[in-house]
Amino acid sequence: MTAISTGKVNIVGGGIAGLIAAVELGRSGVAVELFESAADLGGRARTKAADGFFLNQGPHALYNGGALKRALDRLGIAYAGGRGMARSRKAIWKGRLHSLPVDGKSLMLSSLFGLRDKVVFARVFQRLVKGERAEGSFTDWLDAQTFSPVVRSSLEALGRLSAYANGSDHVSASAMLVQIRMALGGTLYLDHGWVTFIAGLAQAAREAGVTVNVGARVERVETDAHGSRVVLADGRVGVGNATILAVGPHHAAALASDVGSLQAEAREAKAVRANTLDLALKRFPEGAGEFALGIDGPFYLSLHSGSAKLAPEGGAVVHIAKYLPASEGPSRDAIAELEAIADLVMPGWRPLEVMRQELRGMTVANGMPRWDRARPGVALADAPGLFIAGDWVGAEGMIADCAAASGVEAASAVHAWLKAGAVKSAA
Ligand SMILES: Cc1cc2nc3c(=O)[nH]c(=O)nc-3n(C[C@H](O)[C@H](O)[C@H](O)COP(=O)(O)OP(=O)(O)OC[C@H]3O[C@@H](n4cnc5c(N)ncnc54)[C@H](O)[C@@H]3O)c2cc1C
């Protein structure tokens, strides 16, 4: 972006989307003020640190080919980590563990498939890698094939793992196939958690002159021909030429209650949710599985400290999750269900527990790419000067990659708006 020296922009929300937009705009010479309601920046990318352990909010992996990594690298934000590669990987099928087919050798050796299914799975895997295309929902794509139940369930599990979404019937097949390909291209687990790049983004924002306010809840946003104002819960008013709402669709709709397009988005929003059990262990139980994927149930377990510095010497951090179907809320036995997965995959873990974090019904993504409806763009036709960003906005990517891509795009749209002088003076 070329530098401009006029204009002031308010950003509501200090998660990935808001912080990336702030750095982009700050570095292009725009005066930016960011408002985050929580005491800390980062939103769902925050990390809890205690006694040498680092727990993200559920399992977090950075996609090598995704928009978040691309943005961090371009902005020069440092992070370190290791490729998410466990030594012993399991598939859970009908209550039993099988080795998870991840390459030709493990496919041949796995007891998950019979010989015929091994051939079918190898062929479909090749098609996925080579760029299989499809229309409609991911369920439509699965229905159009003639897979046995275990092959079909394995592909659904691969979709859940790649996209974090348990909703094959509303996720776009083409987006899902792209996401699976991207996941196969590798992910990173980050040393000391995702908070490291959040801290890097916050520092970069401040160095670029952004005023960062935490503990600052915005209650209302008003835009008109003269500019854009954010009204805070404590009565303060932030005056600017434009505002980016880098919050979820329901918060955005509540903040700008007279903007019809946002009300429609909030009504249509289909969040993807998960229950997670994040465990800090004295040590990893001997002989336990380091990674497990539910084939007939939407479960995930992974030893993240096997690839990244997340635990003190000898300790371990393990994330266990259930990808919730849209119809399922956080139930009373949510955590017991995850503990049962831990018992199956890593027996002997219970006496080794040092600390845990339980998250029920967490919003993983505010909006996945749907087959029947495009996600909204960053600019709102019915509210000039008001922009949106977050993991439910824009055409690119899923989960944090969508948050990052829309943050970059919103910054560029605001920049163009200011440059065009569409709003002459701040109110
Ligand atoms: C269990 C789990 C696992 C995940 N795993 C992965 C993964 O492996 N890979 C991946 O890419 N992504 C993953 N994600 C998704 C990723 O964490 C999110 O997509 C991303 O962090 C969203 O960023 P955001 O900026 O869009 O929203 P948020 O992080 O939600 O940020 C919005 C911010 O706005 C603030 N806010 C809201 N209302 C107001 C207000 N009125 N005034 C001021 N501030 C306000 C909030 O406090 C929040 O900090 C996972 C998420 C979860 C929960």
Side-chain angles (χ1 to χ4, degrees), residues 13 15-17 36-37 43-44 57 59-61 164 218 363-364 390-391 399-400 403:
I16 289 172
E36 165 56 52
S37 57
R44 284 165 283 150
Q57 301 208 3
H60 272 75
Y164 238 106
V218 173
T363 297
V364 174
D391 58 1
I399 37 180

Side-chain angles (χ1 to χ4, degrees), residues 311-337:
E313 190 62 33
V317 166
V318 179
H319 292 282
I320 308 147
K322 179 178 187 184
Y323 310 101
L324 291 177
S327 54
E328 190 177 321
S331 60
R332 284 184 57 172
D333 60 354
I335 300 304
E337 210 174 22

Side-chain angles (χ1 to χ4, degrees), residues 21-324:
V23 177
E24 293 274 7
L25 283 168
R27 285 189 181 172
S28 73
V30 175
V32 179
E33 188 158 11
L34 182 142
F35 302 93
E36 165 56 52
S37 57
D40 303 313
L41 295 168
R44 284 165 283 150
R46 276 174 296 181
T47 306
K48 177 176 165 178
D51 301 330
F53 291 97
F54 298 87
L55 300 180
N56 287 321
Q57 301 208 3
H60 272 75
L62 182 69
Y63 290 81
N64 284 329
L68 176 55
K69 185 170 184 303
R70 196 173 69 225
L72 295 176
D73 292 347
R74 189 172 48 77
L75 295 172
I77 308 299
Y79 57 86
R83 203 183 147 117
M85 289 279 282
R87 274 168 299 173
S88 98
R89 286 176 276 201
K90 307 287 181 196
I92 307 170
W93 174 251
K94 297 192 171 163
R96 290 191 43 222
L97 296 177
H98 303 261
S99 57
L100 184 73
V102 288
D103 53 24
K105 189 174 168 206
S106 55
L107 176 64
M108 285 328 287
L109 294 176
S110 177
S111 53
L112 181 64
F113 299 133
L115 191 55
R116 201 179 121 80
D117 281 342
K118 287 181 182 183
V119 175
V120 172
F121 192 77
R123 284 197 184 132
V124 73
F125 206 80
Q126 278 307 310
R127 276 165 51 200
L128 293 176
V129 172
K130 282 189 178 152
E132 173 85 352
R133 286 167 182 276
E135 291 189 350
S137 69
F138 191 50
T139 297
D140 292 336
W141 179 77
L142 289 165
D143 286 348
Q145 324 290 322
T146 48
F147 296 138
S148 69
V150 66
V151 170
R152 182 186 171 112
S153 298
S154 299
L155 290 163
E156 272 197 292
L158 182 60
R160 283 194 297 267
L161 174 68
S162 308
Y164 238 106
N166 186 355
S168 304
D169 45 359
H170 75 261
V171 175
S172 138
S174 67
M176 182 63 108
L177 294 172
V178 166
Q179 185 73 9
I180 289 176
R181 230 172 3 264
M182 192 165 66
L184 294 174
T187 59
L188 288 175
Y189 296 160
L190 299 190
D191 293 346
H192 307 128
W194 278 33
V195 73
T196 53
F197 74 73
I198 291 297
L201 284 169
Q203 188 185 337
R206 289 190 176 104
E207 284 170 4
V210 175
T211 305
V212 177
N213 304 286
V214 291
R217 189 166 66 80
V218 173
E219 222 167 47
R220 203 167 69 248
V221 178
E222 297 160 356
T223 44
D224 59 29
H226 304 292
S228 181
R229 285 173 297 280
V230 296
V231 181
L232 274 77
D234 63 10
R236 278 182 294 152
V237 175
V239 175
N241 299 98
T243 296
I244 300 177
L245 298 177
V247 298
H250 296 287
H251 283 130
L255 286 170
S257 56
D258 55 344
V259 177
S261 59
L262 284 179
Q263 309 311 310
E265 289 305 327
R267 276 194 303 277
E268 279 288 339
K270 279 191 167 78
V272 170
R273 295 179 195 282
N275 295 331
T276 76
L277 174 60
D278 307 318
L279 289 176
L281 303 178
K282 225 178 288 171
R283 61 179 170 76
F284 192 63
E286 214 162 304
E290 294 185 356
F291 180 89
L293 185 63
I295 304 298
D296 52 356
F299 295 102
Y300 164 101
L301 178 149
S302 180
L303 170 69
H304 279 225
S305 57
S307 317
K309 292 177 190 146
L310 292 165
E313 190 62 33
V317 166
V318 179
H319 292 282
I320 308 147
K322 179 178 187 184
Y323 310 101
L324 291 177

Side-chain angles (χ1 to χ4, degrees), residues 382-422:
D382 56 344
L386 191 59
F387 298 81
I388 51 175
D391 58 1
W392 55 287
V393 177
E396 185 182 351
M398 295 190 185
I399 37 180
D401 289 324
C402 175
S406 60
V408 171
E409 214 189 318
S412 146
V414 167
H415 190 267
W417 158 268
L418 293 175
K419 214 167 165 209

